[in-house]
Amino acid sequence: MQTSPSDNLATLDTASSAPRPAEPGGPRRPASPWRGRVMAAGLLLAALNLRPAVTSLGPLLEEVRDGLGMSGTVAGVLTSVPAACFAIFGLTAPRLARRWGLGAVVCAGLAAIATGLVLRPLAGGTVAFLAASGLALAGIAVSNILMPVIVKRWFPDRVGAMTGLYSMGLSLGTAAAAAATVPMTDALGGSWRVGLGVWALVAVVALVPWLFLARDRTNGSEAGGSEAGRSAVSGTVTGGSASGGSAAGGSGADASATAEAPAADGTAIRITRSPIAWAMAVFFGFQATAAYISMGWMPQIFRDAGVSASTSGVLLAVVMAMGVPLAFVLPRLAARLRHQGVLVVILGVFGLVGYAGLWLAPAEGAWAWAVLLGVANCAFPLALTMIGMRARTHAGVARLSAFAQSIGYLLSIPGPLLVGVLYQHSGGWGQPIALMAGFMVPQIVAGVLAGRDRTLEDEA
């Protein structure tokens, strides 16, 4: 019998994560409530730090450009750096996690974020600024890729709730950096260097629980030595039974057996040949394009329309803050639907209306457009949830997460750069906004295809 989407979310490939011989195949749960609280706190604090490096820059982009002598095209390159780093460094995340463990890799990622945010304000030129930003974004990339794996690995019976917690933390960190950077910069003397550097302190705080979690290799060894773990790194996913027991109600041994079951023809599926994986990657790529254009350029759009710098930052915060409540609603709603395409279409329509308003009356309806575009940007928590639903096994989720996010971020690199080029050469925002709206069409199409009630293992 085929499992429902909510069952797929709850099913864990426990063959790759047996904690000790006494519990072969059993789902990994925290050894104590205290440990579980540390894990949840670590997840939330890590999520809070996965966007401030990006959204703190947008409200101060004009000052940074003046201070470092950047052209509009170079600024476009700068706004494309996050996607490039996510695509390049995200590919290494599964292999690093298999070698060192999930906790250790995320801990190292947070250390890289803190170091990059400390060095970035000290940069004397564009190259050094880009290099420091790249270091922080490399840390963000590996952590970003592993978050869905951590959720399914550490909280197999609470995937929806913990995905919501992670997405809420991501949205809160994104919105807080956008809203608070300009006021903090003014309060601390008006230097953009101080305003950007203060976010390193938040990353240092987030390191504390991960220093503890990194010491326990059994907590986060993403792949261990099992075949499922090796497949998560090598690019293949073994087909699983459609009736695997859930972490909440099924037997651990039964779940292990179904997770290791081969495909009907005894073969494994290579993820680069999976239509589901490619649809997921394209959907993820275009929603990431919209997100990074918003984070990099939205404050400048409002500032050029006559809105003050501080208000423009708050408007970007509104765009990002819409993800806080919806981060809890969308994953739960998506888990109850057999086909998530309807949610993809609804979010896409919000985006198209928001871009139309931004083109027609950017200042007069600024708050309304920010809300609409904020709802549209909630395609991110939906995409994360869909990644968990498009594979039945832990190895499948790990590989699909790495593939969809890395390829998706690779696809999103040209978007912010093109916006910068169009902005500089057209002298206005008409053409860039039209491009943003045009990106919504392939996002909707790919999302509808990715939202079908199928899993990676079905294609084996």
Side-chain angles (χ1 to χ4, degrees):
M1 182 176 66
Q2 187 173 9
T3 54
S4 68
S6 58
D7 289 333
N8 285 336
L9 266 175
T11 302
L12 178 69
D13 180 3
T14 53
S16 67
S17 55
R20 56 182 68 89
E23 292 181 332
R28 162 70 65 177
R29 291 183 176 84
S32 68
W34 177 80
R35 185 182 296 272
R37 286 191 288 270
V38 173
M39 289 178 174
L43 183 72
L44 178 61
L45 288 171
L48 286 170
N49 283 274
L50 296 184
R51 292 299 180 271
V54 181
T55 55
S56 63
L57 179 60
L60 294 176
L61 183 58
E62 186 171 310
E63 287 75 13
V64 173
R65 287 177 58 191
D66 291 342
L68 298 178
M70 288 185 189
S71 66
T73 300
V74 174
V77 173
L78 179 61
T79 56
S80 293
V81 168
C85 287
F86 284 12
I88 295 169
F89 293 105
L91 288 170
T92 68
R95 188 174 299 275
L96 291 173
R98 176 171 175 257
R99 175 67 179 86
W100 301 106
L102 289 171
V105 175
V106 174
C107 183
L110 288 170
I113 294 170
T115 303
L117 292 180
V118 168
L119 295 177
R120 186 163 69 170
L122 304 177
T126 300
V127 174
F129 189 89
L130 288 172
S133 297
L135 175 61
L137 291 164
I140 292 173
V142 294
S143 303
N144 212 52
I145 292 293
L146 294 177
M147 284 300 154
V149 184
I150 286 174
V151 168
K152 193 156 188 172
R153 170 71 175 83
W154 290 0
F155 305 97
D157 52 353
R158 289 182 287 162
V159 172
M162 299 312 293
T163 297
L165 178 68
Y166 158 65
S167 299
M168 182 196 71
L170 197 68
S171 298
L172 282 174
T174 304
T181 297
V182 172
M184 280 197 308
T185 300
D186 294 339
L188 295 172
S191 170
W192 62 264
R193 296 179 184 274
V194 177
L196 293 182
V198 73
W199 294 103
L201 298 176
V202 184
V204 171
V205 172
L207 266 173
V208 175
W210 288 96
L211 289 172
F212 167 77
L213 295 172
R215 296 174 62 187
D216 186 357
R217 286 290 308 278
T218 61
N219 261 348
S221 183
E222 192 277 321
S226 69
E227 185 63 34
R230 286 190 292 273
S231 70
V233 172
S234 65
T236 60
V237 178
T238 303
S241 167
S243 56
S246 73
S251 160
D254 291 341
S256 177
T258 57
E260 288 184 306
D265 59 359
T267 63
I269 180 172
R270 182 163 294 276
I271 200 165
T272 54
R273 298 177 183 174
S274 165
I276 287 177
W278 279 107
M280 196 73 246
V282 173
F283 174 59
F284 197 95
F286 278 102
Q287 69 80 28
T289 299
Y292 284 105
I293 288 175
S294 295
M295 286 186 273
W297 288 110
M298 197 63 66
Q300 192 65 51
I301 294 175
F302 288 125
R303 291 182 72 170
D304 287 351
V307 180
S308 68
S310 59
T311 302
S312 296
V314 174
L315 285 166
L316 176 59
V318 170
V319 174
M320 300 303 152
M322 293 304 299
V324 176
L326 292 179
F328 278 101
V329 175
L330 279 175
R332 294 174 183 270
L333 183 58
R336 288 174 170 82
L337 297 175
R338 295 185 65 84
H339 194 314
Q340 292 75 47
V342 62
L343 298 178
V344 172
V345 172
I346 291 172
L347 296 181
V349 170
F350 270 84
L352 290 171
V353 174
Y355 286 129
L358 197 62
W359 184 71
L360 292 171
E364 294 80 0
W367 296 101
W369 316 142
V371 170
L372 290 171
L373 292 173
V375 174
N377 277 352
C378 288
F380 177 72
L382 177 60
L384 288 183
T385 305
M386 288 167 63
I387 287 173
M389 298 175 71
R390 296 289 84 86
R392 277 194 296 277
T393 65
H394 168 59
V397 173
R399 191 56 184 165
L400 182 58
S401 176
F403 180 82
Q405 294 197 52
S406 294
I407 298 299
Y409 284 125
L410 186 65
L411 293 174
S412 72
I413 292 172
L417 175 59
L418 288 174
V419 168
V421 172
L422 287 175
Y423 172 53
Q424 178 167 331
H425 289 279
S426 68
W429 284 106
Q431 292 180 21
I433 291 173
L435 179 67
M436 298 177 207
F439 284 150
M440 294 301 303
V441 177
Q443 176 180 321
I444 293 172
V445 173
V448 169
L449 294 175
R452 293 176 296 174
D453 186 23
R454 290 178 57 82
T455 65
L456 214 58
E457 293 80 9
D458 294 334
E459 297 177 339

